[in-house]
Amino acid sequence: MMIGFIGLGIMGKPMAKNLLEAGYSLTVNDLNKGAVDELVAAGAKSLPTAKEVAAVSDVIITMLPNSPHVKEVVLGKGGVIEGAKPNSIVVDMSSISPIVSREVSAELAKKQVVMLDAPVSGGEPKAIDGSLAIMVGGPEEAFAKVEKILAVMGGSVTLVGEIGSGNITKLANQIMVASNIAGMSEALVLATKANVDPEKVFKAIRGGLAGSTVLDAKAPLVLAGNFKPGFRIDLHIKDLQNALDTAQSVGTPSPISEAAIEMMKSLSSEGKGSDDHGGLIQWYEKQAKVEVRS
Ligand code: NAD
């Protein structure tokens, strides 16, 4: 099975390397020549356009920043759609709007090319060790054909439903993560301003109902004043914007996402868009004129 891999960034590069290590033949493409050279040194072939990558591949994986990049790479001039063979499968692993996943899939279907949307959760460490949570939308038959490939990159691979379901699941994940971080920030700033040691608050409540993976991952970083990414605030803004667009299209309320995106945008406009999303606490700290540190 020949695999094409387009998008060799923080996530795509280690994911592609894991596929090479598992013995798959890979043809790669990225705008960043350094990343392409690294994969070629590891045993991949490279081709200069997405069209050419698609022409030699049975499965074409994309791992790109957002919806416009996926539209350009798949449907644009010199894109996947121009080269893909009938019955080949496009697996878009980027976190994009589910509405766009469906649009791109419909265009590919006109050329008898099937698409799955398969965004991931877990960040760079899990991309490196091949233990990402992968949430997939699309036809069961196509899923069955690529499940083994996805299992090389993921600790869990779950078919959730039809095309777009993968990205809807990812948006649900991102809404819950953002609201957890915002709740933690509000609570720790309150405790600090009220003269209660935030580290002791964290220790006291982490085993109770308020305990969470987010609290355990982010509170120690906040207490150390460490906002190095991780997952950048600007990427979380992108995901929440996609969540708001989707909520509007299906007619659901989203006051928590609205509040979280406003705080993140305010931080981004102050030059903190590349901070880790745990750095959201800085918005509360600024309003309360207090710093949460151990
Ligand atoms: P990134 O910006 O590091 O990588 C994107 C890559 O795409 C870059 O190498 C870029 O050169 C390439 N690219 C962009 N346009 C291209 C084009 N037209 N042709 C070829 N290559 C092109 O992003 P990332 O952190 O790897 O994230 C990728 C996706 O995964 C995003 O949707 C992100 O939200 C999602 N994600 C990221 C993380 C994380 O922790 N970084 C975690 C889970 C999910």
Side-chain angles (χ1 to χ4, degrees):
M1 171 108 59
M2 302 295 289
I3 301 178
F5 205 116
I6 304 169
L8 305 168
I10 293 176
M11 299 295 286
K13 192 161 59 173
M15 290 160 70
K17 281 185 179 172
N18 284 337
L19 289 172
L20 277 177
E21 270 171 34
Y24 286 104
S25 299
L26 236 60
T27 307
V28 301
N29 173 269
D30 195 292
L31 300 175
N32 175 359
K33 189 177 173 305
V36 171
D37 290 347
E38 214 177 307
L39 262 294
V40 169
K45 294 189 186 70
S46 78
L47 283 168
T49 64
K51 172 184 174 178
E52 288 162 280
V53 171
V56 297
S57 305
D58 306 302
V59 173
I60 304 117
I61 298 174
T62 47
M63 191 52 168
L64 299 158
N66 197 10
S67 309
H69 309 87
V70 173
K71 271 189 159 176
E72 186 197 328
V73 166
V74 179
L75 303 180
K77 195 167 179 303
V80 168
I81 198 163
E82 292 181 1
K85 299 176 276 192
N87 300 319
S88 57
I89 302 172
V90 171
V91 185
D92 178 36
M93 303 190 75
S94 330
S95 303
I96 70 166
S97 160
I99 302 163
V100 172
S101 298
R102 288 178 186 146
E103 283 171 17
V104 173
S105 166
E107 289 304 312
L108 287 170
K110 293 177 189 165
K111 299 259 169 129
Q112 283 79 50
V113 176
V114 185
M115 174 164 157
L116 299 167
D117 63 321
V120 308
S121 176
E124 189 183 19
K126 285 180 182 272
I128 291 171
D129 69 17
S131 64
L132 292 162
I134 306 180
M135 41 213 99
V136 190
E140 234 176 291
E141 199 185 321
F143 176 74
K145 286 186 187 153
V146 300
E147 193 176 0
K148 260 173 78 177
I149 296 172
L150 296 179
V152 171
M153 299 176 277
S156 71
V157 183
T158 310
L159 180 65
V160 187
E162 61 188 19
I163 183 74
S165 307
N167 273 305
I168 291 193
T169 307
K170 174 71 183 178
L171 293 181
N173 183 81
Q174 294 303 78
I175 291 168
M176 287 193 246
V177 171
S179 60
N180 267 272
I181 291 174
M184 173 196 77
S185 302
E186 200 163 305
L188 294 182
V189 165
L190 169 87
T192 306
K193 188 85 181 187
N195 295 319
V196 179
D197 180 349
E199 189 166 16
K200 290 190 176 145
V201 172
F202 166 54
K203 282 186 181 148
I205 67 176
R206 61 188 291 239
L209 191 55
S212 69
T213 309
V214 166
L215 185 70
D216 281 342
K218 300 300 175 188
L221 297 177
V222 164
L223 290 165
N226 178 1
F227 301 125
K228 188 173 161 284
F231 188 73
R232 287 184 288 117
I233 284 174
D234 281 342
L235 278 181
H236 214 141
I237 290 173
K238 178 258 304 183
D239 288 337
L240 288 174
Q241 189 58 56
N242 285 335
L244 292 174
D245 293 345
T246 306
Q248 194 178 18
S249 80
V250 296
T252 55
S254 33
I256 290 176
S257 298
E258 296 269 11
I261 201 171
E262 280 313 311
M263 291 185 268
M264 289 186 189
K265 280 183 178 170
S266 155
L267 288 167
S268 185
S269 70
E270 290 171 18
K272 295 181 188 298
S274 289
D275 281 6
D276 185 68
H277 52 172
L280 169 66
I281 198 165
Q282 295 167 102
W283 185 89
Y284 284 93
E285 289 177 334
K286 191 173 173 191
Q287 314 302 314
K289 299 187 179 56
V290 76
E291 273 198 348
V292 176
R293 302 288 178 272
S294 52

